[in-house]
Amino acid sequence: MVDSLGAGGAQRQVVSLASKLSSLEYEIELLNYYPNINFFRNELLSYNIKIYDIQKNSRFTLKIIFYIIYLLKRNRYDCVISFLDTPNLYCEIAKLLSFSRVFLVVSERSSRYYVKKRLNKICHMLANKVVANSYDHGDWLKSFPYLKRKVDIIYNGYEITKKFITKTKSHNYNFLVIGRIDKGKNGLNLIKALVEISRKNSPSPNIQWVGSETSSKESLSYRKQMDELLSKHPKVLNNWEWMGHRKDINRLLEQADALIHISLYEGLPNAICEALVAGRPVIASNVCDHPRLVEDNIRGILCDPVSVESICSAIERFVNLTSEERLKMVINARRYAEQHLSIDRMVSEYEKLLILN
């Protein structure tokens, strides 16, 4: 179960999991409650996966819980896997009210820093397994005594093709940022670091920011602050490009020298994972799972996201790498992705979890 079949990261992961399990001859069905958002629908149908649609018309509705109970009793599933907080909660309540013995796996796809309500965590007592997609969040979940033995950590999985471009240097350094525009992604400190670099009369790197501000006041205000700061520093502004929402992320990563991802906190960042799959080093904040994914001087460079000086130093350290050092990072990035971020690895870990229990 998931909220929709839209183009989001969680939706892509649940569709990949369902499709791969179906190809392994598991009988898979999927329930969603925003059927008008259907980016991945055709992919599921190509695997002959049955899709149940029920429309959610209010913030929380018992209609969906009763429908889950109906499906549990009619179809006698061996297992239910849900992604995201609200689908998790619906499934947990439905299992309780139906007295079902179905093996329930709920998957959290966020970060402990985003958690506002503890009710969802209490309801996890009704699940058989709780899957986190980052060690930082998983270790936090394990701090709850009633969840300690239930938590498993399974990283996201990505398609990894045999071909990737081993680009190691541009004449003008091209950095890509992927993420929504808000305080958590730390854009103001990135601009301040670039200003410091320009004051040293060093070449200002090209920045392409893929992602848009949300409709929230906080996001719109943060974008306005970034634009105002950029307007005061023409050298940085001339090398800055707002790209909005894009579908050609792979092509943009191929053209980039590195990804910059200096967020203040994260779950498992798809942007970093996709960069590693593409063989691109990452300049990342030293928070959450970033040290595990990037590892300083191995697959990129880490920095303190609240220190402009540290961010500036990280960018300069990357720019000053030799071609051989950069090529080694490229190879290390790709090798890590092949070992730890493939879809086959993710599906195998879920399959092991289900079979052993």
Side-chain angles (χ1 to χ4, degrees):
M1 182 179 181
V2 71
D3 57 354
S4 76
L5 296 176
Q11 291 78 10
R12 177 171 53 175
Q13 292 297 313
V14 76
V15 168
S16 295
L17 178 62
S19 301
K20 288 290 184 178
L21 287 174
S22 179
S23 69
L24 294 172
E25 299 188 353
Y26 289 91
E27 186 177 349
I28 306 295
E29 298 181 343
L30 186 137
L31 171 65
N32 75 108
Y33 51 75
Y34 291 130
N36 56 312
I37 307 174
N38 52 24
F39 183 86
F40 288 114
R41 182 173 294 267
N42 288 337
E43 180 175 339
L44 286 175
L45 293 176
S46 71
Y47 284 89
N48 295 317
I49 293 174
K50 183 174 179 60
I51 302 172
Y52 294 99
D53 296 318
I54 182 169
Q55 183 65 52
K56 181 181 178 183
N57 295 316
S58 58
R59 188 169 183 177
F60 188 86
T61 174
L62 291 174
K63 176 178 72 171
I64 295 175
I65 294 173
F66 291 138
Y67 191 66
I68 296 171
I69 292 172
Y70 162 72
L71 292 177
L72 288 175
K73 290 183 177 296
R74 190 188 74 172
N75 297 339
R76 299 183 179 277
Y77 301 111
D78 296 298
C79 176
V80 172
I81 302 175
S82 64
F83 276 49
L84 301 175
D85 286 346
T86 302
N88 290 345
L89 186 60
Y90 281 141
C91 289
E92 287 163 341
I93 295 174
K95 180 178 179 179
L96 174 67
L97 296 181
S98 65
F99 301 100
S100 172
R101 293 186 178 184
V102 68
F103 190 82
L104 175 59
V105 179
V106 297
S107 182
E108 297 218 352
R109 321 298 297 177
S110 187
S111 165
R112 59 193 172 103
Y113 299 99
Y114 291 105
V115 174
K116 295 180 180 179
K117 298 179 181 179
R118 296 295 177 97
L119 173 63
N120 292 44
K121 306 299 169 278
I122 295 173
C123 287
H124 284 348
M125 288 190 292
L126 302 169
N128 298 89
K129 282 288 183 180
V130 181
V131 172
N133 71 340
S134 72
Y135 284 86
D136 182 75
H137 190 64
D139 290 343
W140 176 74
L141 288 171
K142 289 178 182 179
S143 70
F144 294 86
Y146 55 89
L147 295 180
K148 188 173 183 179
R149 297 181 181 275
K150 291 187 176 186
V151 176
D152 280 69
I153 298 163
I154 301 178
Y155 267 4
N156 291 354
Y158 303 84
E159 289 285 357
I160 300 180
T161 60
K162 292 182 179 180
K163 180 183 177 182
F164 80 105
I165 298 174
T166 57
K167 178 181 178 182
T168 60
K169 187 176 181 180
S170 295
H171 177 66
N172 293 317
Y173 290 91
N174 298 312
F175 294 125
L176 187 65
V177 180
I178 303 174
R180 64 187 178 277
I181 303 168
D182 63 21
K183 184 177 180 180
K185 298 304 180 185
N186 207 23
L188 281 174
N189 275 350
L190 173 59
I191 295 172
K192 291 174 184 177
L194 295 171
V195 170
E196 290 304 310
I197 292 173
S198 69
R199 283 174 177 166
K200 299 175 184 179
N201 291 320
S202 300
S204 186
N206 298 317
I207 303 292
Q208 292 181 316
W209 189 302
V210 175
S212 305
E213 68 269 18
T214 67
S215 58
S216 70
K217 289 182 180 179
E218 291 79 8
S219 177
L220 294 172
S221 173
Y222 198 80
R223 167 64 188 268
K224 183 179 179 182
Q225 292 176 62
M226 290 180 68
D227 282 333
E228 288 175 350
L229 184 57
L230 284 168
S231 67
K232 295 176 183 177
H233 301 280
K235 286 181 67 176
V236 177
L237 177 61
N238 290 339
N239 292 288
W240 186 284
E241 183 179 2
W242 293 113
M243 302 194 74
H245 178 71
R246 297 287 291 255
K247 294 183 178 180
D248 56 342
I249 297 297
N250 289 338
R251 184 180 68 83
L252 293 173
L253 282 168
E254 288 176 354
Q255 295 173 350
D257 293 290
L259 177 80
I260 294 182
H261 199 85
I262 55 170
S263 52
L264 300 175
Y265 43 80
E266 283 286 355
L268 183 74
N270 281 312
I272 289 183
C273 294
E274 289 172 346
L276 297 176
V277 169
R280 289 296 168 267
V282 183
I283 298 171
S285 48
N286 191 14
V287 301
C288 303
D289 273 39
H290 291 184
R292 183 184 293 267
L293 290 165
V294 174
E295 202 171 350
D296 195 37
N297 284 325
I298 304 299
R299 295 175 289 277
I301 295 174
L302 296 173
C303 63
D304 178 356
V306 300
S307 167
V308 171
E309 181 181 354
S310 179
I311 298 167
C312 179
S313 174
I315 294 172
E316 290 177 326
R317 281 170 59 196
F318 184 84
V319 168
N320 290 326
L321 291 173
T322 66
S323 295
E324 292 76 16
E325 289 171 329
R326 196 173 294 111
L327 178 59
K328 191 172 182 180
M329 281 190 179
V330 166
I331 294 171
N332 288 340
R334 174 64 175 207
R335 185 174 295 155
Y336 180 89
E338 291 171 347
Q339 293 174 351
H340 301 283
L341 298 175
S342 71
I343 287 181
D344 288 341
R345 186 271 320 153
M346 178 187 75
V347 173
S348 175
E349 291 183 18
Y350 267 99
E351 190 177 20
K352 182 179 179 180
L353 183 154
L354 300 177
I355 291 174
L356 292 182
N357 293 279

